[in-house]
Amino acid sequence: MRQNIGMVFQHFNLFQHLTVRGNITLASHILNGLSEADASTLAEERLEKAGFLVQIGTDPSRLSGGQKQRVAIARALPMKPKVTLFDEATLALDPEQVEEVNQMIKRLAEEHLTMMIVTHEMDFAAAVCDRVIYADGGVVVEEGPPSTLFKKPRTRTHPQFLRKHLARNGD
């Protein structure tokens, strides 16, 4: 079952002893049994789509946080997962890096990849998601299309959360 799930962690979890290419090809080669050449071709295709192919031979320690997160996303995809989970993928990034990662996720959404995204970025969720689940204390409080959840919330806690979030971002 794990081979059908891609994971993108908030702290990248890249292997520091491998290059960008090595981080992306490892799972395809070991778990899917692809040859190193085929796994490398998949890595190149994914990095090219991400506009990041030039970094393929780079050591992860030389990358910015946003670049590391884009590598982590690219690493999850060659396995062709049925669903990819994103756990606060932009949490520790500066605004420019957040935008780079969000743009990559938007391109994946346009490819109709199934993703579950944990985020506090409401604007991003509204723009990318088909369905939003608002949870409070680990309990699902409300769910539905973004247009409903953000414009006509049915609970008291959800609008309070939105007000706090918008106030925090200066909106």
Side-chain angles (χ1 to χ4, degrees), residues 86-101:
F86 291 82
D87 179 20
E88 293 284 2
T90 60
L91 188 65
L93 305 179
D94 67 39
E96 184 177 311
Q97 294 171 343
V98 167
E99 183 59 26
E100 290 171 0
V101 171

Side-chain angles (χ1 to χ4, degrees), residues 70-133:
R70 288 172 29 201
V71 171
I73 293 168
R75 177 182 59 190
L77 300 173
M79 300 293 295
K80 300 192 177 174
K82 291 183 179 175
V83 64
T84 303
L85 309 176
F86 291 82
D87 179 20
E88 293 284 2
T90 60
L91 188 65
L93 305 179
D94 67 39
E96 184 177 311
Q97 294 171 343
V98 167
E99 183 59 26
E100 290 171 0
V101 171
N102 284 347
Q103 288 301 319
M104 187 173 183
I105 294 171
K106 283 180 185 179
R107 284 192 297 276
L108 296 173
E110 290 167 1
E111 293 177 26
H112 304 288
L113 295 177
T114 301
M115 297 178 279
M116 292 179 68
I117 304 169
V118 175
T119 186
H120 287 88
E121 295 180 46
M122 299 299 102
D123 293 335
F124 176 71
V128 172
C129 299
D130 296 326
R131 183 163 202 78
V132 175
I133 296 172

Side-chain angles (χ1 to χ4, degrees), residues 129-134 140 142-150 154:
C129 299
D130 296 326
R131 183 163 202 78
V132 175
I133 296 172
Y134 169 67
V140 173
E142 212 172 329
E143 64 180 291
S147 59
T148 302
L149 256 66
F150 296 127
R154 296 181 306 262

Side-chain angles (χ1 to χ4, degrees), residues 30-47:
I30 292 174
L31 297 176
N32 280 2
L34 292 180
S35 69
E36 286 186 36
D38 288 344
S40 185
T41 298
L42 270 174
E44 290 171 11
E45 288 171 6
R46 193 41 71 185
L47 285 171

